[in-house]
Amino acid sequence: MSFKESSAGMITVMTVVAIIVGSILAGFYQMVSPRIEANRLAEEKRAIFSVLPEAKDYVTIDLEVGEGDDKESLMIFRGVDDDNAPVGYAFVSEGPGFAAAIVMMVGLNINTEELTGMKVLEQIETPGLGNKIAMEPFESQFRGLKIKPAITYIKNKKPESDNQIQAITGATISSVAIVKALNKTIKVLMPFILEDIRNPVVIERQVEEEAVPEPKEEEK
Amino acid sequence: MASRSLYSEFTKGIWKENPVIILLLGMCPALAVSNSAVNGLAMGLASTFVVVSASSIVSIIRRLVPAQVRIPTYIVIIAGFVTLADLFLKAYFPAVAKSLGPYVPLIVVNCMIMGRAEFFASKHTLLPAIVDAFGTGIGFTWVLVVVGVVREILGSGSIFNVMLMSEDVFTPWVVMILPAGAFISLGLMIGIINYFKNLKAERAK
C-alpha cells in the first residue's frame, strides 16, 4: 500500500488542502475587508441622508438600551443642518421578515411626529414579491407618515389615514413586518430621542473632526 | 484528435450535455435566481468562475488526492473559490451581491460543479479540464439568462431592469417571478427542446 492510499496519506492531503485554502481565504479577506466595510459605511451614510433629506451632516449617538440581560447597544443619528441645528433623527430598525430579519434605516421629524423616510438596508425576502419592500414605491409611502398613535397598514386599498400604508399585494408578511418593527423601535427609542433634544449629546461634527488638524499629534 | 476533441469538449457543455436543460444539474440556482436577467447573468458568471477554477485545481492535483477522500477535498476547493467569489462581489459589486443574497455561498452545493470535478477534471489534464468547465459554465449561464429574460418580461414587464411596458398596458404575471414560474418556464423550455430533438431523430431514421 502506497503512502497515498494509507490513512496518514489521506490525513496529510486533507490537512494540506485545508491549510492552503484557509490561508488564501484569510489573505483575500484581509485584502477586501476594508472595502467591504467602506461599502457598508457609505451605504449607512447614503441611507441616513436619504431618510433625512434636510440634513447636511449627522452625529452618531451611542445608546445603552434595557437593563441586565436585555441590554443592547443601539445607535441613533442626529441629522443637523448647516447651522448645526437638529433637523431630525435617523435610526436603524430591525424585525423578523418572511425569510429572515429585515433591517432598515428610518428618519423621524420629532416636531411634526412624521417619518421623513424609510430605506431598507438588508432583506432576503422572496425575489419579485417581498423584495419590493426595498423599492421606491413602497419606501416612499413612509415619507410624511404620522407615527401617532401607531403606524398601521391596509391591504389592496389606498391608505385611509395619514398613519397608514398600503401593504404590497402578495407580500403582506414582509410589509407588516416593517410596520411592526417600526412601531417597536420607535417606542423603544422615543425616550432617548426626546432626552437628546432636551440635553443634546455634544459630539464634534464629523466633517470638522476630519478638517481641523489635530493638536494632540504633538503631544504624542 | 486533440484539437477536434477540445472543441467538442467545449461545445458539449453548451448544448449536447448542457448542465441545466439536458443533465438537469444545478437546478437549485437555475430555479431560484432566474427571476431576472441580471440575476441569472450574475449567477451564471459566478458559477462559471467557480467551475473553471475548481476544475483547474482538481485537474492539477488529481494524482495527489487519495480516492477515498477526493470528494471532501474537492468540496474544500470549491468552497474556497465560492468564498472568494462571494467576497469579491461584496467588495466590488455590492448591489449584485445583495440581490443574489444567500445563493452565492450556495454555489458550493451546485452539483454541476462537483460533477465536472468528479467526472471530468479528476480524469483529465489541465487544458481539457479548463475547456470542459468553461463550456459547462457558458451552458449554465445562457440557460439562466434565457429563463431570466422570459421570467422578467412576463413577471415584471422589464428586461435587464429596463421597463418595457407600463403596468397599465400589461399586468405582470406575478406567478412568473415566484418559484412556480421557474418550474413552468424551465419545464416548457426543456419540453420544447426535447420535442425538436425527437423530431430530428425521427427524421434521421
Side-chain angles (χ1 to χ4, degrees):
Chain A
M1 196 167 71
S2 68
F3 173 74
K4 194 179 119 181
E5 302 300 325
S6 69
S7 303
M10 291 180 214
I11 294 169
T12 312
V13 168
M14 288 293 306
T15 312
V16 169
V17 167
I19 289 173
I20 293 173
V21 171
S23 336
I24 292 172
L25 285 185
F28 191 71
Y29 181 74
Q30 288 290 321
M31 218 172 83
V32 297
S33 65
R35 236 196 129 92
I36 295 175
E37 178 62 16
N39 286 344
R40 198 192 61 75
L41 267 180
E43 194 179 331
E44 180 182 279
K45 204 168 176 174
R46 240 195 341 266
I48 291 172
F49 286 130
S50 91
V51 297
L52 290 174
E54 287 170 47
K56 293 285 178 285
D57 193 9
Y58 65 91
V59 178
T60 306
I61 302 155
D62 292 304
L63 299 176
E64 294 276 322
V65 179
E67 305 242 318
D69 290 345
D70 298 332
K71 209 163 179 174
E72 258 188 295
S73 297
L74 295 176
M75 278 189 275
I76 53 176
F77 308 95
R78 187 204 305 139
V80 291
D81 60 15
D82 284 328
D83 304 323
N84 222 356
V87 292
Y89 286 82
F91 47 87
V92 172
S93 176
E94 188 179 339
F98 181 69
I102 302 172
V103 185
M104 59 225 136
M105 182 70 76
V106 195
L108 177 65
N109 183 331
I110 208 76
N111 300 322
T112 58
E113 293 183 332
E114 275 173 6
L115 297 183
T116 51
M118 187 281 285
K119 189 163 175 52
V120 174
L121 301 180
E122 279 172 36
Q123 55 88 16
I124 52 162
E125 303 299 284
T126 319
L129 283 177
N131 73 349
K132 283 186 186 160
I133 57 170
M135 291 172 190
E136 178 58 22
F138 184 73
E139 288 182 336
S140 62
Q141 293 194 62
F142 290 83
R143 222 166 287 142
L145 191 71
K146 291 275 183 204
I147 59 162
K148 291 281 168 78
I151 302 169
T152 57
Y153 62 91
I154 191 162
K155 291 189 211 173
N156 303 326
K157 261 189 268 176
K158 292 274 165 250
E160 287 161 354
S161 57
D162 52 10
N163 64 339
Q164 196 163 55
I165 59 129
Q166 184 183 353
I168 296 168
T169 310
T172 314
I173 294 176
S174 309
S175 315
V176 174
I178 288 188
V179 170
K180 279 187 180 160
L182 286 183
N183 283 328
K184 196 169 151 235
T185 312
I186 291 170
K187 206 172 145 198
V188 171
L189 289 178
M190 207 50 155
F192 294 94
I193 293 175
L194 293 175
E195 174 62 25
D196 188 69
I197 288 177
R198 279 195 297 273
N199 305 303
V201 179
V202 183
I203 300 173
E204 269 187 67
R205 286 182 62 173
Q206 290 179 345
V207 171
E208 283 171 356
E209 259 175 41
E210 286 162 21
V212 176
E214 295 271 304
K216 285 173 195 165
E217 293 277 312
E218 291 163 12
E219 289 166 28
K220 285 174 194 166
Chain B
M1 174 212 155
S3 71
R4 213 202 107 245
S5 82
L6 265 190
Y7 177 74
S8 66
E9 295 304 359
F10 177 68
T11 51
K12 76 169 194 284
I14 296 175
W15 186 249
K16 222 172 73 209
E17 287 178 30
N18 185 291
V20 184
I21 52 178
I22 308 293
L23 303 179
L24 303 187
L25 291 177
M27 298 304 281
C28 163
L31 293 168
V33 291
S34 59
N35 48 28
S36 77
V38 173
N39 281 359
L41 183 65
M43 172 52 74
L45 293 181
S47 303
T48 304
F49 162 75
V50 174
V51 73
V52 171
S53 319
S55 284
S56 324
I57 302 295
V58 166
S59 164
I60 291 169
I61 64 165
R62 68 187 189 283
R63 291 192 200 287
L64 302 173
V65 181
Q68 297 93 325
V69 291
R70 65 185 195 284
I71 305 279
T73 310
Y74 299 163
I75 284 285
V76 171
I77 293 166
I78 294 168
F81 281 113
V82 170
T83 314
L84 283 185
D86 191 29
L87 288 172
F88 176 80
L89 285 178
K90 278 190 180 135
Y92 295 95
F93 299 98
V96 175
K98 252 186 143 178
S99 80
L100 292 181
Y103 291 103
V104 178
L106 279 176
I107 298 174
V108 176
V109 290
N110 186 333
C111 45
M112 167 191 96
I113 292 161
M114 193 66 204
R116 281 358 277 170
E118 167 72 7
F119 294 119
F120 199 91
S122 64
K123 300 185 180 86
H124 291 81
T125 49
L126 183 58
L127 190 60
I130 291 177
V131 168
D132 167 79
F134 192 61
T136 304
I138 300 290
F140 185 68
T141 307
W142 82 253
V143 176
L144 256 68
V145 171
V146 169
V147 178
V149 164
V150 171
R151 290 178 65 192
E152 194 181 339
I153 291 176
L154 296 176
S156 317
S158 62
I159 180 165
F160 284 99
N161 291 335
V162 180
M163 276 317 261
L164 289 179
M165 303 158 272
S166 87
E167 298 218 347
D168 314 325
V169 187
F170 174 78
T171 312
W173 309 350
V174 178
V175 67
M176 291 309 286
I177 33 181
L178 290 176
F183 284 106
I184 292 169
S185 18
L186 197 59
L188 283 177
M189 186 169 157
I190 294 170
I192 292 169
I193 286 170
N194 279 340
Y195 174 77
F196 283 108
K197 259 175 66 184
N198 290 343
L199 208 67
K200 217 174 125 191
E202 294 271 304
R203 288 223 183 108
K205 268 184 198 170

